């Protein structure tokens, strides 16, 4: 696609429910990142996928959070038993090793806003 | 990735140059300096990057000190639409396994009429 697509754009859920957030990266981008941004805060790194390598999960805040990337393309971030503190905007970005400009720029999606009641 | 330090907020008059500083004293030799900005309710957008030489593009200029421990992003003629949060990050060289990129809290730039 032309850009990074995230869905849903907004999700309201009840405490204790599971949610899935989806990211469609730019076609051909080998790297995919998930970040979380709480209201008025900076970006908090969650997880990073690069090709077929094992993902860097060092930013996941608890074992309720998990992510997968199928076929090296679409990624799903799953939050189990959601808590109110999980309320935030979840941002996905992708980049390419082989960016023609050589910049290896992260291109971000518009984010998925999660509200846990 | 090296950590960066930026002022929390800055103001700038419309039409004047906005100079946003960033400290990255622990930067490694293979790490580049990248700048992104985030306009309200949008995802961050790439602005510019550099290694050691000063860089300029249609959006901004990047000045990196000789010791590479700090840099300044310059918006030469700020407009109201430049009001945003500006993030300075450092990450390994392009076209390598870049790994995760750590964003701090950034600088909130407010351009005033």
């Amino acid at each position: 696609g032309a850009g990074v697509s995230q869905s849903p754009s907004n999700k309201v859920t009840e405490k204790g429910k599971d949610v899935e957030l989806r990211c469609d990266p730019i076609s051909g981008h080998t790297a995919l990142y998930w970040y979380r941004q709480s209201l008025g805060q900076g970006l908090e790194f969650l997880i990073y996928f690069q090709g077929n390598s094992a993902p860097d999960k060092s930013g996941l805040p608890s074992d309720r959070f998990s992510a997968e990337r199928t076929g090296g393309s679409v990624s799903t971030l799953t939050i189990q038993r959601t808590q109110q503190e999980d309320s935030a905007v979840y941002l996905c970005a992708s980049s390419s090793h082989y960016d023609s400009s050589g910049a290896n720029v992260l291109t971000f999606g518009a984010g998925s806003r999660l509200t846990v009641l | 990735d090296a950590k960066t330090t930026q002022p929390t907020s800055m103001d700038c008059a419309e039409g004047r140059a906005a100079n946003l500083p960033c400290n990255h004293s622990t930067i490694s030799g293979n790490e580049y300096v990248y700048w992104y900005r985030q306009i309200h309710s949008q995802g961050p957008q790439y602005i510019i990057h550099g290694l050691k030489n000063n860089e300029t593009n249609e959006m901004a200029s990047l000045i990196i000190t000789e010791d590479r421990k700090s840099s300044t992003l310059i918006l030469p003629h700020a407009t109201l639409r430049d009001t945003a949060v500006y993030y300075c990050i450092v990450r390994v060289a392009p076209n390598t396994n870049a790994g995760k990129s750590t964003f701090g809290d950034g600088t909130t730039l407010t351009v005033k009429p």
Side-chain angles (χ1 to χ4, degrees):
Chain A
V4 177
S5 178
Q6 292 189 246
S7 61
S9 55
N10 278 287
K11 175 72 176 179
V12 180
T13 191
E14 293 179 348
K15 177 181 174 180
K17 301 284 189 181
D18 297 352
V19 296
E20 287 189 349
L21 307 176
R22 176 186 169 105
C23 174
D24 278 282
I26 291 174
S27 178
H29 277 195
T30 56
L32 187 147
Y33 309 75
W34 282 98
Y35 291 87
R36 176 170 72 173
Q37 188 170 35
S38 300
L39 187 63
Q41 304 297 310
L43 279 69
E44 175 189 5
F45 168 79
L46 297 178
I47 188 168
Y48 160 68
F49 296 89
Q50 174 56 58
N52 295 321
S53 301
D56 178 348
K57 304 179 181 180
S58 60
L60 294 178
S62 77
D63 58 9
R64 295 187 295 106
F65 288 72
S66 63
E68 63 177 18
R69 189 179 184 192
T70 53
S73 180
V74 172
S75 176
T76 302
L77 176 69
T78 301
I79 309 172
Q80 295 179 311
R81 305 180 302 281
T82 52
Q83 303 295 312
Q84 288 182 331
E85 61 262 30
D86 299 335
S87 295
V89 175
Y90 290 81
L91 289 159
C92 175
S94 68
S95 70
S96 172
H97 273 355
Y98 309 109
D99 180 319
S100 60
S101 73
N104 200 3
V105 168
L106 271 67
T107 301
F108 283 83
S112 292
R113 181 177 297 277
L114 174 66
T115 303
V116 182
L117 301 177
Chain B
D1 289 345
K3 292 186 177 180
T4 62
T5 305
Q6 299 177 253
T8 302
S9 63
M10 293 182 64
D11 291 343
C12 178
E14 187 178 18
R16 303 296 295 269
N19 298 284
L20 291 91
C22 179
N23 286 323
H24 31 79
S25 58
T26 60
I27 192 170
S28 300
N30 66 343
E31 287 181 317
Y32 282 60
V33 180
Y34 284 77
W35 283 83
Y36 289 78
R37 75 178 182 184
Q38 186 175 26
I39 296 173
H40 183 62
S41 299
Q42 299 181 20
Q45 172 195 26
Y46 166 80
I47 301 173
I48 198 168
H49 78 289
L51 180 63
K52 54 183 179 181
N53 297 324
N54 298 336
E55 303 287 345
T56 295
N57 63 21
E58 64 279 5
M59 293 181 69
S61 294
L62 174 60
I63 308 298
I64 302 174
T65 58
E66 191 170 346
D67 63 8
R68 303 206 324 121
K69 292 185 177 182
S70 64
S71 61
T72 301
L73 178 75
I74 301 172
L75 309 178
H77 305 287
T79 71
L80 299 179
R81 289 176 295 179
D82 292 322
T83 292
V85 178
Y86 288 77
Y87 296 98
C88 164
I89 67 170
V90 293
R91 61 196 300 245
V92 296
N95 297 326
T96 63
N97 185 359
K100 69 183 184 184
S101 292
T102 303
F103 287 71
D105 291 335
T107 296
T108 299
L109 174 69
T110 302
V111 181
K112 298 185 174 181

